[in-house]
């Protein structure tokens, strides 16, 4: 069953960087059984530092001046996919300490139930859970009780997907080789039979060949089932574990393993996997955690931070002296995506082990930035627990407002990705170009968030660094903000190392202030780089000069109450620039004190009095000259006013900041800043009024002279430099057609990234509405892209030329043309067109407010959705070792025995049946907790995970909160789904005891829904000669009513009343993606079966007699009805003749 420990999320890390090149490397060969040789190294030719960039950030200069300021004395928690404990360069620090202090699986994906206890037999054997007889070794002497467990090597999450795929391929290849040899031997024997050989002998050989063919056809590889033994060694009390990695039962030569931190023992999963593991033990031996990595990403990140190659320092990471705590927060059962459980547990573990720094190179879209249970825990890690967190900005640029979480959280340091000319040449073998500058990578996510927040700084975003042994190569080149964050974290480790050696204790707020205030701007716009490129020597100098000054370690929260508490000012739409542009700003010093303040904490509040100079960085911003900032606890903060005058600004994005500088010490730089972004859109001409059109224009369907003109503009693209156009979208527009035309290209084709973000207002993540295309533009070519827009908003079209294949400049002509049916309104997500269970149709009003539009409707239903209620719910306390949030440092200062906060878990159970229809043997099913879907960092709960089991208890699939799992094909039978929810407040879980679960089941074939042009036809379901709406045009200013009918074909038998069939209505099936609206049909109750004739005695002969009698009676009734109709017809003819004679008489 799902335990109250972690059960993570789904899909591969959205910000996981892409591998674009590899470097082969000779690695010290290790035996299948560990421990590995410590300090093993590799040797390769001297490498330029740009392969793992250190010159760009000044680390090389810092270490030249202070060689021992290489991170030694610092501990970095790497929250990632986990790490290969045997990877080259990650064995020892530069001063000889173990590189890894521990490796923890925070997801629970490697947990094994070891609650069953057994005693060994007198002959030194016992029966494992696999059914094998296990032969014990000398290590079992004196042990009178063992705990049993089992591990399926191919089980969900037991190993990285790439390793699993490789092992299956290799094992099948070995099987095929043996199979072919066996078949060949039998065939030779069959060929050697004499002509007079007995028929039985020939038939026996032919049957053997048939059996071999059947074996090959039915080949499946479930992987070996490995037995696990766990016991507590006496008298030391240290837990010991043995895994039968060979799967043969002979453990006599096995080497017992203790939890990693005890003796740093590492094993290999065998079977050619090259997958290393360690063990951890929890809950007094009830659970054994077998810890492996879930992919190569975490080892690569750890290598960037802290790799140490003793024989060639050019290969080192940024901080080779730093130690690493490896925290696995990506669960292999779920595609190695992060989960709330993994993240929260990792932060708890980092605090428990005294980490100075944390790196998280993961991220997801978010609906509410700086909000949610996981976000709150990251804030606590920085402000309450005293750890400095670095996180990647995300790989969703280059358009503005593409930051996700946790990059958009206030507490962590958000790091964008920078690429230098040297990196371009050495990591990517870029073609020579006369003039290329360093810049942000195109993929690096940009600010501001919808509430105005910006990234913190940037660092090199590509590196050639170590990867796990199971990748079968020593190093790899990855790029992404996943690489920039650990580079910055490594820089911070070196700066912190130097400060510690100078005898200074610097907390996360003071360290962040030093890094940001010393960063070096490298671009004209700050949206990707924040304060600029991180600068190690300057950061150290700043920290040394200003350490201990008033409020140097005090964070401030800035908000704009009139804009919903936004963390900055972000004006983007034309309507926002028309009203008053004066804003009040609230400033709150963020003291971290105990619940009952100590005398020292009270004095800290009373003594805060900062004389601040306020000043803008741009002339279009006006602020007061100064303010005196106090603790302002009584009033909840202090305010000042900002006035904006963007009237003189040209079209484009403009950034400024309001900075608060200590008037007595301006050299410290601003103690806080308010970011301000104003976008001045490019205007587009309004459509001409209908009265201004000529009769010919009005009569001509599709005549574009009757429409507003398209917006055209030239573009000149330079390699690595984004070009932005901001366009005011007409109020009624629903989508746009963007056309790019290329001219002459002397240097060959170009790759151009088009990134369109239709709006930055509201809480809709940019990923839910944006359009991204990598276009290959050839000489004199044309590319057309259709994309959604929001009426009245400002659309950003961002285009960036790739410098990788062809960095030479390029010129393009762009054209933007807006379209609308007036059916969606200003919402980015159209409301669902719903056909009720008792309805025959749904009505849609369409028009053409901007230009004549093609109308070719098509409607279909593609899936059925069913809601389930839980059959049971159970709430338990989480693990005492993993799931207790520590008290704040302030609480511990006030009381050393201050308690932590227990996280609770609730397990919900759901049941359902599957009955595929017709010839189908399987029914695809997708499960989703709809109300918590697509929320992770901003989720109201710590975590959510579901697990799908069949009737035999076999686990078939896992899924989480952020992404949909793959559809699971289920055979006929009963199934159950367990949903695990976590939250510190038990009452919050109790309120969700009836949480519905959604099942989505694709239909075997789409069901067509006919679209009619009139209510009468729709009411009759098209009967009586009414045809569906044909392809045609809606003239500009015209109107058309559409009636989408319920499906005419029979629903699948497994569809039940209450199920909702979903699909879409495309108003133009030729432009389906741009014009489709969601469609839903509520399944009605099944037809009532007509009563059948009763059979009193069940005798078949009587049934035939009764049937014959009923047939005769029916024929008699039909004959009588026909005679009656003939009489009626004759009477009508007589009346007609009589009336005709009367008329003749009148004439």
């Amino acid at each position: 069953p799902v335990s109250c420990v972690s059960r993570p999320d789904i899909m591969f890390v959205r910000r996981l960087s892409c591998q674009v090149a590899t470097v082969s490397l000779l690695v010290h060969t290790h035996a299948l059984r560990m421990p590995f040789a410590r300090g093993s190294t590799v040797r390769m030719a001297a490498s330029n530092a740009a392969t793992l960039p250190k010159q760009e950030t000044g680390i090389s200069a810092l270490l030249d001046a202070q060689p021992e300021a290489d991170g030694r004395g610092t501990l970095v928690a790497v929250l990632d996919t986990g790490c290969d404990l045997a990877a080259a360069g990650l064995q020892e620090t530069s001063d000889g300490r173990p590189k890894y202090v521990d490796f923890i699986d925070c997801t629970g994906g490697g947990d094994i139930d070891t609650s069953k206890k057994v005693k060994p037999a007198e002959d030194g054997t016992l029966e494992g859970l696999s059914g094998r007889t296990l032969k014990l070794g000398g290590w079992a002497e004196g042990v009178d009780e063992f705990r049993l467990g089992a591990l399926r090597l191919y089980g969900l999450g037991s190993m990285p997907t790439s390793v699993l795929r490789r092992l299956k391929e290799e094992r099948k290849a070995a099987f095929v080789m043996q199979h072919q040899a066996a078949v060949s031997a039998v065939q030779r024997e069959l060929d050697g039979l004499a002509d007079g050989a007995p028929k039985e002998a020939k038939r026996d050989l032919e049957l053997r060949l048939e059996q071999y063919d059947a074996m090959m056809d039915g080949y499946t590889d479930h992987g070996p089932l490995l037995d696990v033994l766990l016991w507590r060694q006496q008298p030391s009390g240290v837990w010991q574990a043995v895994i039968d990695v060979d799967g043969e039962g002979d453990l006599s030569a096995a080497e017992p393993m203790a939890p990693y931190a005890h003796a740093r023992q590492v094993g290999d999963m065998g079977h050619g996997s090259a997958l290393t593991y360690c063990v951890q033990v929890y809950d007094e031996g009830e659970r054994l955690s077998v810890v492996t990595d879930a992919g190569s990403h975490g080892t690569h990140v750890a290598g960037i931070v802290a790799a140490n190659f003793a024989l060639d320092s050019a290969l080192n990471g940024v901080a080779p002296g730093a130690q690493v705590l490896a925290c696995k927060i990506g669960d292999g059962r779920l595609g190695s995506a992060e989960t709330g459980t993994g993240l929260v547990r990792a932060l708890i573990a980092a605090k428990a082990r005294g980490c100075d720094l944390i790196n998280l190179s993961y991220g997801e879209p978010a609906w509410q930035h700086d909000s949610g249970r996981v976000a709150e825990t990251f804030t606590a890690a920085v402000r309450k627990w005293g750890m400095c967190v670095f996180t990647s900005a995300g790989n969703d640029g280059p358009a503005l407002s593409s930051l996700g979480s946790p990059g958009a959280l206030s507490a962590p340091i958000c790091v964008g990705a920078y690429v230098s000319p040297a990196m371009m040449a050495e990591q990517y073998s870029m073609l020579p170009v006369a003039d290329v500058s360093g810049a942000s990578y195109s993929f690096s996510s940009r600010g501001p968030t919808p509430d105005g927040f910006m990234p913190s700084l940037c660092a090199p975003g590509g590196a050639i660094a170590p990867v796990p042994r199971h990748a079968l190569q020593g190093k790899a080149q990855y790029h992404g903000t996943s690489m920039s964050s650990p580079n910055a974290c490594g820089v911070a480790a070196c700066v912190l190392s130097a400060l510690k050696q100078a005898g200074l204790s610097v907390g996360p707020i003071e360290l962040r202030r030093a890094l940001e205030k010393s960063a070096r701007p490298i671009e004209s716009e700050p949206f990707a780089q924040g304060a600029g490129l991180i600068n190690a020597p300057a950061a150290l100098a700043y920290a040394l000069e200003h350490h201990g000054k008033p409020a140097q370690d005090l964070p401030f929260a800035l908000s704009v109450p009139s804009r919903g508490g936004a963390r900055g000012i972000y004006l983007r739409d034309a309507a926002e620039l028309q009203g008053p542009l004066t804003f009040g700003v609230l400033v709150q010093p963020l003291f971290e004190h105990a619940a009952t303040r100590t005398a020292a904490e009270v004095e800290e509040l009373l003594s805060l009095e900062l004389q601040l100079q306020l000043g803008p960085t741009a002339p279009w911003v006006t602020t007061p000259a100064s303010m005196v900032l106090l603790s302002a606890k009584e009033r909840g903060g202090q305010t000042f006013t900002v006035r904006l005058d963007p009237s003189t600004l040209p079209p484009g994005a403009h950034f400024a900041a309001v900075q608060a500088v200590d008037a007595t010490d301006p050299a410290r730089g601003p103690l806080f800043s308010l970011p301000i972004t104003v976008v001045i859109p490019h205007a587009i001409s309004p459509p001409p009024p209908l009265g201004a059109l000529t009769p010919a224009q009005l009569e001509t369907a599709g005549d574009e002279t009757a429409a507003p003109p398209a917006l055209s503009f030239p573009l000149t693209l330079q390699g690595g430099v984004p070009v932005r156009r901001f366009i005011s979208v007409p109020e009624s527009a629903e989508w746009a057609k963007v056309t790019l035309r290329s001219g002459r290209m002397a240097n060959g084709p170009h790759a151009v990234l088009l990134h369109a973000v239709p709006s930055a207002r509201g809480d809709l993540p940019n990923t839910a509405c944006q359009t991204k295309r990598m276009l290959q533009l050839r000489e004199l070519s044309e590319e057309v892209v259709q994309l959604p827009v929001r009426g009245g908003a400002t659309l950003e079209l961002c285009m960036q030329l790739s410098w990788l294949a062809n960095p030479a400049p390029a010129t393009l002509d762009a054209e933007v043309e807006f379209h609308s049916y007036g059916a969606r309104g200003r919402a980015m997500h159209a409301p669902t067109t719903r056909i009720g269970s008792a309805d025959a149709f749904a009505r849609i009003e369409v028009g053409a407010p901007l230009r004549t539009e093609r109308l070719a409707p098509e409607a279909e239903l593609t899936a059925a959705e069913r809601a389930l209620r839980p059959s049971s719910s159970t709430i338990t306390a989480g693990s005492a070792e993993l799931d207790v949030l520590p008290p704040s440092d302030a609480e511990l200062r006030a009381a050393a025995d201050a308690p932590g906060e227990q996280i609770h878990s609730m397990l919900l159970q759901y049941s359902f049946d599957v009955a595929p229809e017709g010839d189908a043997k399987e029914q695809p099913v997708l499960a989703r907790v709809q109300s918590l879907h697509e929320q992770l960092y901003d989720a109201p709960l710590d975590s959510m995970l579901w697990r799908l089991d069949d009737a035999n208890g076999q686990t078939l699939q896992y899924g989480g909160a952020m992404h949909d799992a793959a559809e699971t094909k289920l055979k006929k039978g009963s199934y159950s789904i367990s949903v695990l929810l976590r939250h510190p407040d038990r009452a919050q879980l109790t309120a969700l005891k009836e949480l519905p679960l959604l099942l989505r089941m694709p239909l075997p074939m789409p069901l067509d829904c006919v679209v009619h042009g009139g209510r009468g036809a729709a009411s009759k379901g098209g009967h009586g000669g009414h045809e569906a709406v044909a392809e045609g045009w809606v003239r500009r200013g015209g109107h058309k009513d559409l009636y989408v009918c319920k499906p005419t074909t029979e629903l699948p038998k497994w569809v039940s009343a209450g199920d909702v069939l979903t699909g879409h209505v495309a108003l133009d099936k030729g432009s389906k993606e741009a014009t489709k609206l969601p469609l839903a049909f509520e399944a009605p109750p099944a037809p009532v079966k007509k009563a059948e004739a009763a059979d009193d005695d069940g005798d078949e002969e009587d049934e035939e007699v009764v049937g014959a009698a009923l047939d005769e009676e029916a024929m008699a009734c039909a004959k009588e009805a026909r005679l009656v109709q003939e009489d009626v017809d004759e009477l009508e003819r007589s009346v007609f003749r009589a009336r005709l004679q009367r008329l003749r008489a009148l004439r």
Side-chain angles (χ1 to χ4, degrees), residues 1014-1065:
R1015 183 183 177 100
S1019 300
K1020 297 178 181 178
H1023 295 294
H1026 296 283
E1027 297 182 355
V1029 174
E1031 291 187 22
W1033 299 87
V1034 180
R1035 297 178 182 176
R1036 181 179 167 234
H1039 180 88
K1040 182 72 175 177
D1041 295 322
L1042 301 179
Y1043 292 84
V1044 184
C1045 294
K1046 64 182 181 181
T1048 56
T1049 55
E1050 186 178 350
L1051 303 182
K1053 294 180 180 179
W1054 51 262
V1055 173
S1056 304
D1059 290 353
V1060 178
L1061 279 67
T1062 61
H1064 67 266
V1065 183

Side-chain angles (χ1 to χ4, degrees), residues 146-159:
F146 290 93
R147 291 174 175 267
L148 298 184
L151 168 67
R152 176 73 69 181
L153 188 61
Y154 289 5
L156 295 173
S158 297
M159 60 174 54

Side-chain angles (χ1 to χ4, degrees), residues 48 84 101 136 173 192 201 234 242 277 330 349 442 454 472 591 614 682 945 1016:
N48 193 293
D84 183 355
V101 298
L136 310 182
Q234 298 300 338
V242 166
Y277 72 93
S442 61
M454 297 286 288
L472 304 185
F591 297 95
L614 298 179
H682 299 78
L945 174 86

Side-chain angles (χ1 to χ4, degrees), residues 409-428:
L409 304 183
S410 296
I413 295 176
C414 174
V415 186
Y418 166 79
V419 59
S420 67
M423 292 169 61
M424 296 177 189
E426 292 165 30
Q427 291 191 36
Y428 304 96

Side-chain angles (χ1 to χ4, degrees), residues 385-456:
W385 304 337
M387 298 179 290
C388 191
V389 179
F390 290 80
T391 186
S392 49
N395 299 339
D396 205 25
L400 303 188
S401 304
S402 50
L403 274 180
S405 282
L409 304 183
S410 296
I413 295 176
C414 174
V415 186
Y418 166 79
V419 59
S420 67
M423 292 169 61
M424 296 177 189
E426 292 165 30
Q427 291 191 36
Y428 304 96
S429 302
M430 184 184 71
L431 292 171
V433 63
D435 184 21
V436 63
S437 301
S440 296
Y441 277 95
S442 61
F443 56 73
S444 190
S445 292
R446 267 69 169 177
T449 60
D451 71 338
F453 187 75
M454 297 286 288
S456 307

Side-chain angles (χ1 to χ4, degrees), residues 466-747:
V467 291
R469 297 167 66 251
H470 60 67
L472 304 185
Q473 62 186 58
K475 288 189 173 186
Q477 197 282 340
Y478 291 174
H479 61 205
T481 56
S482 284
M483 284 62 250
S484 62
S485 182
N487 194 298
C489 187
V491 170
C494 292
V495 172
L496 197 58
S497 178
L499 292 171
K500 287 187 175 186
Q501 292 167 30
L504 300 182
S505 176
V506 174
I509 306 303
E510 189 173 355
L511 179 60
R512 175 175 184 164
R513 188 161 277 143
L515 296 173
E516 291 181 346
K517 299 302 176 284
S518 60
R520 177 170 57 90
I522 44 90
E523 294 179 321
S524 59
E525 62 175 37
F527 305 114
Q529 66 173 338
L533 182 63
I534 195 169
N535 186 334
L540 176 58
Y542 180 96
L544 290 171
E545 180 180 356
H546 301 295
H547 174 68
K549 292 184 177 179
Q552 191 68 8
D553 59 350
L554 179 65
F556 300 89
L558 274 69
S559 61
V560 183
S562 64
R563 297 184 68 81
R567 293 170 291 172
I569 298 174
Y570 183 19
L571 306 179
R572 175 167 169 141
D573 296 343
E576 294 184 288
L577 302 176
Q578 296 174 1
L581 297 182
T582 300
F583 305 92
V585 180
L586 177 66
V587 184
Q588 295 172 295
L590 300 177
F591 297 95
E592 289 300 335
H593 291 163
T596 302
R597 291 188 179 89
T598 64
E601 291 171 343
V602 171
E603 184 60 32
E604 184 181 15
L605 292 174
L606 296 176
S607 62
L608 181 68
E609 184 173 339
L610 297 173
Q611 303 290 332
L612 300 178
Q613 292 178 346
L614 298 179
T617 61
W620 45 274
V621 180
T622 303
T623 67
S626 64
M627 72 178 299
V628 178
L629 183 63
L630 309 173
S631 67
K633 278 291 181 181
E634 183 179 6
R635 295 185 297 169
Q638 292 177 232
T639 61
F640 65 89
T641 301
V642 174
R643 181 180 297 116
L644 308 183
D645 181 14
S647 59
T648 60
L649 297 178
H654 304 271
F655 180 81
V658 176
Q659 298 180 337
V661 177
D662 184 351
T664 65
D665 189 3
R668 293 170 63 188
L671 291 178
F672 58 80
S673 298
L674 177 76
I676 302 173
T677 304
V678 172
V679 171
I680 305 297
H682 299 78
I684 182 171
S685 301
L690 289 177
L693 301 179
T694 66
Q697 289 174 335
L698 289 172
E699 290 295 327
T700 304
D703 185 354
E704 292 307 309
T705 61
L711 178 65
S712 300
F713 46 87
L715 297 169
T716 300
L717 305 182
Q718 302 285 340
V721 180
V723 175
R724 312 182 191 279
R725 290 293 183 272
F726 299 94
I727 303 170
S728 286
V729 177
E731 285 287 342
S732 56
E734 295 175 336
W735 83 98
K737 183 174 76 171
V738 178
T739 305
L740 298 178
R741 299 184 181 91
S742 63
R744 297 290 180 183
M745 294 183 175
N747 295 298

